[in-house]
Amino acid sequence: MPRTTNGIHYEVRGSGPDSIVLLPGLGCSLTCWSGTAPLLDGYRLVLMDLPGHAGSLRAPADGSSLGRIAGTVTDACDELGLERFALVGLSFGGALGVRIALDRPGQVFAVMAFMPWNAGGTEAGDPVIERFAASFRDVEAITEAVGAMSLDPSRTTDVVRTMTTAVTEQFWHSWLGSGGGAYTSMSGELSGMAVPACYVVGGRDTIAPQDKLIADVRAMPGGRLVFLSDAGHLAPYESPQLVAREIREFVGRYANAPSVRECVAAETARSLSRPSDAVPGSAV
């Protein structure tokens, strides 16, 4: 399996002038995108296993800090030569994409989060998170939990497999445990989002809190919200055609558009070449 020097397992599929990095959800593997990827022809797709998950078990995976997890992913992106790319993530992967977009606005040209972990995090003592934290490698408990969020459990067996066999204990408890990353917030930074951002919310999602996700989108300049009435939390597994359609519609708006960095560089070059007595913006 191809891995970056920091231990991130990845797969590259397809080709095209624009790259999309696809991030799975917590407890998932890059198999999350297996049904969607073939429907995104025309793009260079980079599917990654999250740090501390599946093929990336040995990658640095301190879940107490979303920023440190993001750093592990961006280091891998840099090693792969991804100078400009879109980010698409599911659940935890969606929140991770938002974190990376906040940190790397000159590199990320669009970010799309399907049923994401809300930016405000979880309130201390949340019973659902506490039960998850206590269920590490508990096959019965995790099978029941995944079944409760699945619209078609026959399509989400890989989630149960990965969550019970291929997530490190260090990541699991540093994210879900008391004081872990699940309880931290980046809400105060959303007003500074400089990257086109879209949240996709599922009408049949039993996990992601819609009111909090709507608040996130409202906080982001130009934030976009898509509501899919029949989608659940694990839509990439269960409705890949629907997911691919939404990715094409949103990412396609910004594909091949100049990046923030390119725009700044171009404007700087024009300013330096403009005669000193010229009116800014006029023909010279």
Side-chain angles (χ1 to χ4, degrees), residues 43 71 88 102 105 132-133 137 147 175 221 240 273:
Y43 289 97
V88 177
L102 287 167
F132 252 109
R137 298 284 169 88
W175 175 253
S273 64

Side-chain angles (χ1 to χ4, degrees), residues 8-266:
I8 291 292
H9 168 233
Y10 67 94
E11 293 181 7
V12 178
R13 303 186 187 182
S15 61
D18 296 287
S19 297
I20 302 176
V21 175
L22 295 162
L23 301 175
L26 186 146
C28 302
S29 72
L30 55 73
T31 300
C32 165
W33 302 105
S34 292
T36 304
L39 306 176
L40 297 174
D41 56 295
Y43 289 97
R44 181 178 183 238
L45 305 177
V46 182
L47 289 67
M48 290 186 177
D49 278 329
L50 296 174
H53 288 64
S56 301
L57 286 175
R58 296 184 180 180
D62 180 3
S64 66
S65 168
L66 197 58
R68 283 194 284 274
I69 293 292
T72 301
V73 173
T74 53
D75 285 348
C77 291
D78 290 344
E79 182 176 330
L80 295 174
L82 297 174
E83 296 181 355
R84 180 177 182 274
F85 56 91
L87 276 164
V88 177
L90 169 66
S91 193
F92 173 83
L96 189 58
V98 171
R99 179 70 265 167
I100 294 170
L102 287 167
D103 294 341
R104 298 284 190 100
Q107 195 170 8
V108 177
F109 71 82
V111 59
M112 192 172 197
F114 284 83
M115 299 74 188
W117 187 267
N118 63 284
T122 299
E123 296 179 2
D126 182 278
V128 175
I129 297 301
E130 288 188 345
R131 283 198 298 273
F132 252 109
S135 65
F136 179 70
R137 298 284 169 88
D138 184 332
V139 176
E140 182 178 350
I142 289 174
T143 300
E144 181 180 351
V146 174
M149 71 178 78
S150 300
L151 302 183
D152 183 354
S154 69
R155 291 176 175 263
T156 57
T157 55
D158 184 65
V159 182
V160 176
R161 179 192 65 79
T162 305
M163 201 172 283
T164 54
T165 64
V167 180
T168 65
E169 186 172 9
Q170 192 271 342
F171 175 83
W172 186 275
H173 289 307
S174 63
W175 175 253
L176 295 169
S178 177
Y183 295 95
T184 60
S185 173
M186 56 180 173
S187 292
E189 300 177 65
L190 296 181
S191 61
M193 176 65 79
V195 174
C198 177
Y199 275 16
V200 180
V201 176
R204 299 175 67 187
D205 185 353
T206 59
I207 300 296
Q210 292 183 9
D211 57 337
K212 293 181 178 180
L213 299 183
I214 292 170
D216 283 358
V217 173
R218 284 176 170 165
M220 293 186 285
R224 178 179 175 83
L225 180 76
V226 174
F227 182 81
L228 301 178
S229 60
D230 290 328
H233 192 72
L234 299 173
Y237 292 95
E238 298 167 330
S239 306
Q241 295 87 355
L242 186 61
V243 168
R245 185 192 73 191
E246 295 301 329
I247 294 173
R248 282 191 169 281
E249 198 283 329
F250 181 70
V251 174
R253 296 176 175 215
Y254 308 100
N256 294 311
S259 67
V260 173
R261 184 183 300 166
E262 290 169 338
C263 288
V264 171

